[in-house]
Amino acid sequence: MRVIFGGMLAGLAAFFVVGTCQAQEFSNSSNDVAQIGFSTGIFNIGSDESAAEMRLDYRDDHALFGVLRPIGGVMVTSDKAVHGYGGLMADLLWGDHFATSFYSSVGAYHDGDGEDLGHWIEFRSGVEVAYRFDNKSRVGLGFAHISNADIGDTNPGAEVLSLTYTVPVSAIFN
């Protein structure tokens, strides 16, 4: 799994290098809107302590540096673990109907009855590939890694596979 995560980080780095040259294809595009995301999946894949994951996040539409958007949310698991987080994300829009999102965040983690990840501060980084509907809602498959970046005595980390549905904020509150 660490090899997969390393590959994701390398891809993310390449994404940002290309993005600085072609920022008009990213999240500051007129095709992007603020979104609320609802996710469900498997937390700690491949472990004896895997659990169901549910997540709610907010994805802002105000781009920083023309590419990065704020993201914040909360994850809970069936083992009563909770992770509240905030960070930055970037979208690569592929035509009208496909998007790849990359994000990195930091937040507070409580293990509940689940996996002890070694510290109460945990970093979450991930990638999501989604289909965009005409109304700008999305359905996507995501992969994330949660880790304390070795600030704790142990750093077992956890991988998360999730299915996400995002809906424009304007569709909820208008």
Side-chain angles (χ1 to χ4, degrees):
M1 287 295 172
R2 293 189 190 271
V3 171
I4 292 171
F5 182 63
M8 282 183 6
L9 288 179
L12 183 60
F15 172 78
F16 283 117
V17 169
V18 171
T20 58
C21 298
Q22 300 175 353
Q24 71 276 6
E25 295 180 27
F26 293 86
S27 64
N28 65 338
S29 141
S30 62
N31 291 328
D32 261 319
V33 295
Q35 302 165 327
I36 300 229
F38 305 91
S39 303
T40 186
I42 303 169
F43 174 81
N44 215 5
I45 296 172
S47 167
D48 294 340
E49 296 189 42
S50 62
E53 178 225 27
M54 287 73 54
R55 195 171 71 249
L56 176 69
D57 61 39
Y58 173 74
R59 303 164 182 210
D60 199 24
D61 60 343
H62 295 93
L64 307 169
F65 310 111
V67 178
L68 302 173
R69 300 184 333 171
I71 183 173
V74 63
M75 173 202 79
V76 296
T77 73
S78 57
D79 287 335
K80 302 176 191 156
V82 178
H83 184 225
Y85 57 90
L88 297 172
M89 71 177 295
D91 285 337
L92 175 58
L93 306 176
W94 302 93
D96 292 333
H97 294 289
F98 295 96
T100 303
S101 302
F102 301 90
Y103 64 90
S104 187
S105 62
V106 62
Y109 176 78
H110 173 69
D111 59 14
D113 296 331
E115 179 79 18
D116 179 0
L117 296 182
H119 204 277
W120 68 272
I121 297 174
E122 295 291 331
F123 300 88
R124 181 183 183 108
S125 299
V127 61
E128 180 181 285
V129 177
Y131 179 82
R132 290 180 30 172
F133 297 96
D134 290 336
N135 68 358
K136 303 217 178 8
S137 62
R138 301 179 187 187
V139 62
L141 187 62
F143 179 81
H145 177 76
I146 300 175
S147 167
N148 67 39
D150 288 327
I151 62 175
D153 292 335
T154 62
N155 185 21
E159 280 70 42
V160 182
L161 182 65
S162 59
L163 180 66
T164 300
Y165 178 71
T166 63
V167 63
V169 170
S170 61
I172 297 173
F173 294 109
N174 281 344

